[in-house]
Amino acid sequence: MQYEEAAMSSPTNTFDLDLDDDRSKASSDVLGSSAALQIRQLERERRLREIERTFQNVVSEAESQEGRIYENVFTERGEVHNEVNIKNKEYEIEQSRPKSVAGKLKEKAINQLDRITKKNEAFDFEVQSKTAAGNFDDYIPASDFTSHKQMNRPSSPNHARMVYNFAVTARRHSSKIAIALLIFITAIATTVTLTALKEAPIPMTLSEETWENLKAIRTALIDQGIPKGPLMVYESKQFAAVTQLAEEVDLGELSIGSIVDKSKPFVEINSDGVPTNFNNAYKERRVVLERYIVMTLYLTTSNGSKEWAKKENWMKNNVNICKGWHGIDCMELAGDEITMEVVSSLKLPSNEIHGKIPVELSFLQQLQSLNLSNNFLIGAVPASLGEIKTLQKVELSRNLLTGQIPSSFCTLKSDFVLVELVSDCGGDFTCSCCTECL
C-alpha cells in the first residue's frame, strides 16, 4: 500500500501523458505525421523511464526502512524498551546483591525456566519508525525469532534446568525417597550389627577367660602378618588352632603375659635374617606364632579319614613343638639375657599329607630345610615360601602340585642361599631352576 501511495504522489501521472498527446497533435500539423509520431514515442519512453526510477526509489526507501526496523527489533544493536529488557535489568540488579549458594542455584533455575517457557511465545511490538508499523508475524517467521549471536551459539548442557528438574522430582517423590533412605540406613545398620554379632559372641564350648585369651593371641598373630580373614571365621582350621592355643594358656602350658599386657616387643636382626637380641615380649609372640603355624599345617592337611601316617605328639598340649613333635627340628637363638628355640627343619616325606601347602609356613623365619615329598599335596606352591632368607633345602617331588615353581625360589638359589631344590618337572608342574627334577 505504501508503494502505491508513493507512486501516485509522484509528479508524473496519466494526466500529464494525455496533455503531452494533445501537444504532439499540434506539432504534427507542422512537422508531419511521421515526425510527430516519432517524437511522441520518444517522449512516452522518457516518461516511462522516469516513472520506473521513481517507483524503484520508493521501493528502495521502503526496503531500507524495513531493514532498519528489523535491526532495531531483532538484532543486538537495537534498543527496544520492552518487558524482556526490563526484566533483564531487574535480574542484573538482583544478581549484584550478595546471596547464599542455595539462593543462587534456586534463582538461576527459576530464571532459566522462565526463559524456556517464553522462548517460543509471540509478542506484539511497536516499531519506532515514521514509515512502517507491524508486528512480529509481518516480518519474520516465528522459528527465526532469535538474535544472530544466539543462532550461532553452540549448544551446551542446561545445568540450571537439570538442577531445577531434580528439585521438582525430589519434592514430588519426597515420601518415596524418605522411605528408600530409611530402608538403606536400616540395611547398613543391620549389616554392621550382624558383623559385630558374628565376632562378639563367645563360642558355646569356650569359657569367658579362654575367649579373652583367644582374642589376645589372635591380635598378636595379626600384628605379625598372619592373614586376618581365616582367623575371624569360627569354622576355619586357623580359628581351631587359635582356640587350642587359648586353651593351652588356661592349662598353664603356654605363656602370653606380655601379649595380654600389650608389652612392646624388641628385636635386633642381622643381615642373614637371624635375631641376635630380643626381649621377652618378642619371645612370647614368636613362640605363639610358630606353634600356631605347625598346628595350622596339621589341621589343614589332615581330617577325617585322611590322617597323617606319622603324627607323634602332634597337637598335644603339654609337648613343646621342638621337643617331640614328629619331623620338627629346632635351633636355639640367644639374646643378651634370654634364649628361645625356633623351627629350623620340617621333614614330613611319605606321610599321607593331603591338601594344599598352607601359606602360614612362610612365617617360619628360620626354616632351613623343608621336605614334603611323596605326599598328596595339590595346588600351587606359595611364592612367599621362597622369601624365607634362611631356606637352604626344599624337596617337593612326587606330589600332585600344579603350575610352576615360583620365581622367588630361583632368586634365592641365584643368591647362593638355596642349594638344593628338588621337584617334579613335567606334566602339570614345571621347574626352571631345580637342582634335580623327578
Side-chain angles (χ1 to χ4, degrees):
M1 188 66 182
Q2 294 174 350
Y3 304 156
E4 295 175 358
E5 292 175 357
M8 293 292 294
S9 62
S10 62
T12 304
N13 50 42
T14 55
F15 177 80
D16 295 331
L17 294 176
D18 294 336
L19 182 61
D20 292 340
D21 290 341
D22 295 336
R23 294 174 180 173
S24 298
K25 290 179 181 180
S27 301
S28 62
D29 296 336
V30 179
L31 299 177
S33 60
S34 60
L37 180 61
Q38 185 176 5
I39 292 173
R40 289 176 58 191
Q41 289 177 348
L42 292 174
E43 187 66 19
R44 180 179 292 276
E45 289 175 359
R46 183 183 66 80
R47 294 296 185 180
L48 288 175
R49 285 195 299 271
E50 184 177 354
I51 292 172
E52 183 178 0
R53 284 195 302 270
T54 303
F55 182 81
Q56 289 178 351
N57 290 337
V58 172
V59 172
S60 177
E61 181 182 358
E63 289 178 347
S64 177
Q65 291 291 341
E66 180 181 358
R68 286 194 294 272
I69 291 170
Y70 179 86
E71 181 180 84
N72 287 336
V73 177
F74 298 106
T75 65
E76 293 179 348
R77 291 184 296 175
E79 295 182 359
V80 181
H81 300 287
N82 54 23
E83 185 178 356
V84 175
N85 281 346
I86 294 174
K87 286 187 176 181
N88 288 338
K89 291 295 182 181
E90 291 176 351
Y91 176 77
E92 293 175 1
I93 295 172
E94 187 67 23
Q95 284 294 102
S96 63
R97 299 174 183 173
K99 299 182 182 65
S100 63
V101 176
K104 290 180 179 179
L105 288 175
K106 179 180 178 181
E107 185 175 8
K108 186 175 181 180
I110 294 173
N111 290 336
Q112 186 67 21
L113 180 62
D114 290 340
R115 291 190 182 94
I116 293 172
T117 303
K118 297 181 179 180
K119 181 176 180 180
N120 295 323
E121 289 183 358
F123 60 90
D124 296 332
F125 64 90
E126 294 183 0
V127 180
Q128 306 299 318
S129 172
K130 296 179 180 179
T131 60
N135 57 36
F136 180 80
D137 294 322
D138 291 335
Y139 294 98
I140 187 168
S143 59
D144 292 333
F145 179 59
T146 178
S147 67
H148 299 311
K149 181 177 180 181
Q150 188 174 359
M151 286 191 294
N152 297 329
R153 183 181 303 164
S155 60
S156 60
N158 195 334
H159 299 293
R161 179 64 177 177
M162 293 169 60
V163 172
Y164 180 83
N165 288 341
F166 177 81
V168 172
T169 304
R171 183 180 299 176
R172 186 181 304 165
H173 303 286
S174 58
S175 59
K176 295 180 180 178
I177 294 175
I179 293 174
L181 185 61
L182 180 61
I183 294 174
F184 178 75
I185 294 174
T186 304
I188 293 177
T190 303
T191 303
V192 172
T193 303
L194 291 176
T195 302
L197 289 175
K198 186 176 181 180
E199 298 181 7
I202 301 175
M204 298 296 293
T205 57
L206 298 181
S207 65
E208 184 175 352
E209 182 180 2
T210 304
W211 175 246
E212 293 299 324
N213 291 332
L214 185 150
K215 291 194 296 182
I217 293 171
R218 184 169 59 185
T219 301
L221 293 173
I222 294 172
D223 291 342
Q224 295 179 85
I226 295 296
K228 179 180 178 180
L231 292 173
M232 310 303 291
V233 181
Y234 292 166
E235 296 80 11
S236 69
K237 304 300 182 181
Q238 290 83 352
F239 188 86
V242 176
T243 302
Q244 182 164 333
L245 291 174
E247 292 173 346
E248 291 179 356
V249 174
D250 293 343
L251 296 172
E253 302 293 340
L254 186 64
S255 175
I256 61 168
S258 64
I259 296 176
V260 174
D261 297 338
K262 298 182 180 180
S263 300
K264 187 175 181 180
F266 166 78
V267 63
E268 293 179 351
I269 301 176
N270 62 19
S271 58
D272 295 327
V274 179
T276 57
N277 189 22
F278 46 86
N279 61 3
N280 188 63
Y282 176 81
K283 176 182 177 179
E284 287 189 350
R285 285 168 171 77
R286 183 67 180 272
V287 169
V288 168
L289 173 65
E290 298 210 343
R291 194 170 180 87
Y292 164 79
I293 291 171
V294 294
M295 283 182 173
T296 301
L297 172 63
Y298 178 81
L299 292 173
T300 56
T301 59
S302 174
N303 55 77
S305 60
K306 299 177 181 179
E307 290 289 335
W308 286 9
K310 300 175 183 178
K311 55 178 181 178
E312 184 181 359
N313 292 324
W314 277 75
M315 306 303 292
K316 287 187 177 181
N317 293 332
N318 58 347
V319 180
N320 189 312
I321 62 174
C322 294
K323 299 186 184 315
W325 285 38
H326 170 74
I328 295 180
D329 293 322
C330 296
M331 61 181 292
E332 186 178 89
L333 298 178
D336 290 343
E337 300 179 356
I338 58 177
T339 61
M340 68 174 176
E341 290 183 311
V342 295
V343 176
S344 61
S345 176
L346 188 59
K347 298 177 181 180
L348 299 168
S350 304
N351 205 36
E352 298 290 327
I353 298 176
H354 294 73
K356 296 182 178 181
I357 301 175
V359 70
E360 284 82 0
L361 282 182
S362 59
F363 290 89
L364 293 175
Q365 300 171 12
Q366 265 60 60
L367 186 65
Q368 298 176 2
S369 177
L370 175 65
N371 188 344
L372 298 175
S373 62
N374 199 25
N375 283 292
F376 298 91
L377 295 171
I378 62 174
V381 178
S384 54
L385 269 179
E387 297 174 359
I388 301 176
K389 296 181 179 180
T390 58
L391 195 58
Q392 300 174 11
K393 296 181 180 181
V394 177
E395 294 187 37
L396 300 173
S397 60
R398 296 187 176 92
N399 278 288
L400 303 174
L401 298 170
T402 56
Q404 61 183 2
I405 201 74
S407 60
S408 55
F409 285 87
C410 299
T411 301
L412 202 61
K413 182 173 177 289
S414 64
D415 292 338
F416 303 102
V417 177
L418 183 61
V419 296
E420 185 177 336
L421 179 58
V422 182
S423 174
D424 299 319
C425 298
D428 295 331
F429 191 78
T430 59
C431 181
S432 60
C433 57
C434 285
T435 57
E436 184 178 355
C437 292
L438 300 178

